[in-house]
Amino acid sequence: EAGVAQSPRYKIIEKRQSVAFWCNPISGHATLYWYQQILGQGPKLLIQFQNNGVVDDSQLPKDRFSAERLKGVDSTLKIQPAKLEDSAVYLCASSLGGSERYEQYFGPGTRLTVT
Amino acid sequence: AQSVSQHNHHVILSEAASLELGCNYSYGGTVNLFWYVQYPGQHLQLLLKYFSGDPLVKGIKGFEAEFIKSKFSFNLRKPSVQWSDTAEYFCAVIASGGYQKVTFGTGTKLQVIP
């Protein structure tokens, strides 16, 4: 089966610019996650969707980050305006359901560099 | 709030050596525990998981982990590592009950020397 797709794979922007990342989860997976992984740290959950509804966005910096999952399939994560500390790999993952017992499948990530 | 500690940031082993990577968590209730692995140039993938029952769980590629509740630990082990085990390993925890977000540790980079 096809895995989680993400694009772009790499992005370099200047601070104060905006950027958007796209994620296409595995077909049939109801739950979608966005993580931020800063160099030297583990992934940090930014937002979790169940179908097209938000389950948890408590760690999403809402003053600059936004995410949507229209129609409960693809999702986009946007940063506007970007700051230097947003440099990180942004990972998308999906799972069949939201229970902790469902395995999460990760995409390749988007490496963002903010200069 | 739950947290996860991985004390070894970088481990270098020779092939055939035994491996043990430490993972400790802090949470007072019931937890679900995971080890993920990221091979060079590849995606994060699940190595093994513990929900309940036998505290010794076996995963893919000969890895196993033991849940010791009294020590809040879930250490990853492999009796004999191979060069292909070179990767970064992440421990993760999700508390049980209702909705609980996953918390990852900072990861351990394992380098196996042929």
Side-chain angles (χ1 to χ4, degrees), chain A residues 3-4 6 35 43 91-94 104-109, chain B residues 36 43-45 104:
Chain A
V4 176
Q6 289 187 249
Y35 291 88
L91 297 168
C92 180
S94 70
Q104 293 187 32
Y105 293 83
F106 285 82
Chain B
Y36 283 84
H43 311 175
L44 263 172
Q45 58 184 284
F104 281 84

Side-chain angles (χ1 to χ4, degrees), chain A residues 33-79:
Chain A
Y33 311 79
W34 282 103
Y35 291 88
Q36 180 192 58
Q37 186 175 13
I38 293 172
L39 188 64
Q41 299 181 21
K44 181 181 84 171
L45 180 68
L46 292 176
I47 188 167
Q48 178 179 338
F49 291 95
Q50 180 74 17
N51 296 309
N52 60 352
V54 175
V55 174
D56 185 347
D57 63 358
S58 58
Q59 299 188 110
L60 186 74
K62 298 180 188 64
D63 57 334
R64 298 183 300 107
F65 286 63
S66 64
E68 60 182 9
R69 191 184 184 197
L70 299 176
K71 301 181 182 178
V73 182
D74 293 9
S75 177
T76 56
L77 176 69
K78 296 179 182 177
I79 307 175

Side-chain angles (χ1 to χ4, degrees), chain B residues 55-80:
Chain B
L56 184 63
V57 293
K58 296 190 185 298
I60 59 173
K61 305 185 179 185
F63 285 90
E64 64 179 31
E66 184 175 13
F67 171 51
I68 302 179
K69 189 175 180 180
S70 61
K71 295 185 177 179
F72 298 90
S73 70
F74 190 55
N75 292 353
L76 182 70
R77 302 195 292 246
K78 187 171 184 178
S80 176

Side-chain angles (χ1 to χ4, degrees), chain B residues 30 37 40 42 83:
Chain B
T30 305
V37 60
Q42 296 188 26
W83 176 78

Side-chain angles (χ1 to χ4, degrees), chain A residues 3-4 9 33 35 37 39-45 48 55-56 58-59 91 98-109, chain B residues 9 32 34 36 38 41-46 49 51-52 88 90 94-107 109:
Chain A
V4 176
R9 293 294 310 277
Y33 311 79
Y35 291 88
Q37 186 175 13
L39 188 64
Q41 299 181 21
K44 181 181 84 171
L45 180 68
Q48 178 179 338
V55 174
D56 185 347
S58 58
Q59 299 188 110
L91 297 168
S99 165
E100 63 271 16
R101 304 214 165 194
Y102 288 108
E103 178 176 347
Q104 293 187 32
Y105 293 83
F106 285 82
Chain B
H9 298 295
N32 304 285
F34 307 81
Y36 283 84
Q38 187 166 26
Q42 296 188 26
H43 311 175
L44 263 172
Q45 58 184 284
L46 185 66
K49 59 191 175 187
F51 294 145
S52 62
E88 190 160 16
F90 293 91
I94 306 177
S96 290
Y99 169 74
Q100 301 286 347
K101 67 170 68 67
V102 60
T103 300
F104 281 84
T106 53
K109 288 184 179 176

